[in-house]
Amino acid sequence: MKTAIASALLGAVVLVAGCAGYSASGPSAEARLKPTQGNKTSGFVHFQQKGDRVTVRASIEGLTPGVHGFHIHEKGDCSAPDGTSAGGHFNPGGKHHGAPASADHHGGDFGNLTADANGRASLTLVVANGEITLDRDAANSIIGKGVIVHADPDDYKTQPTGNAGKRVACGVITRN
Ligand code: CU
Ligand code: ZN
């Protein structure tokens, strides 16, 4: 009997430690990015929410080496061959375009990805203060929105796009 209780307690402790280690609590979402016409860029973006923070992890390949704008766009529609069906930047707060670290920026302004010589880029970004959410019913929900990777760098200045050029990959954010 004593052994059974000890074993059950040990199980509970391991379970708690596992949750803390992988921070898997809270909602998550993902987007699979496919190339727009004439491009080879593809990838995967994972979103994990904890309280008012959303951690974004992107893994992209098939890029030209260098810097590429990376945003959430207002429509989860990748049907146009050039990706323009995804609309403009997701901007629930009615802000100006800018760098993710600046005070004034769109909720969808994730900044830039930097691809290595093999055309691969990865990025981890924490969006804090409840700026975006995975809660479907909220006005600032990113569920069902688009994710776009651009041909050129986001200059963080040009309004309202960052002058990041053509859209080389597009995906739709779906809740897990
Ligand atoms: Cu964009
Ligand atoms: Zn923007």
Side-chain angles (χ1 to χ4, degrees):
M1 188 60 187
K2 264 183 187 168
T3 309
I5 291 167
S7 167
L9 283 173
L10 188 64
V13 169
V14 168
L15 194 65
V16 168
C19 287
Y22 296 102
S23 66
S25 56
S28 65
E30 61 187 48
R32 291 189 180 278
L33 308 194
K34 290 181 180 161
T36 54
Q37 195 169 75
N39 293 298
K40 293 178 295 184
T41 305
S42 62
F44 184 74
V45 186
H46 183 262
F47 303 87
Q48 178 78 52
Q49 182 161 0
K50 209 170 189 187
D52 69 352
R53 297 160 75 86
V54 176
T55 300
V56 183
R57 288 189 183 85
S59 180
I60 311 292
E61 58 185 31
L63 288 157
T64 55
V67 181
H68 300 270
F70 180 53
H71 316 121
I72 294 186
H73 283 237
E74 60 189 346
K75 294 176 194 162
D77 181 355
C78 297
S79 63
D82 61 0
T84 53
S85 48
H89 295 181
F90 179 54
N91 184 21
K95 304 268 185 77
H96 293 101
H97 178 74
S102 73
D104 199 16
H105 65 265
H106 300 141
D109 290 345
F110 285 180
N112 284 302
L113 297 164
T114 301
D116 65 16
N118 296 314
R120 292 197 185 94
S122 59
L123 176 86
T124 300
L125 178 75
V126 178
V127 183
N129 305 318
E131 198 174 322
I132 57 173
T133 178
L134 305 185
D135 175 358
R136 280 189 195 83
D137 300 326
N140 59 340
S141 175
I142 61 169
I143 304 304
K145 306 301 181 192
V147 178
I148 294 283
V149 178
H150 290 270
D152 301 327
D154 183 333
D155 66 9
Y156 299 149
K157 288 179 195 144
T158 306
Q159 300 300 328
T161 63
N163 196 30
K166 289 186 172 150
R167 303 173 180 202
V168 296
C170 183
V172 180
I173 301 168
T174 56
R175 174 89 179 244
N176 289 329

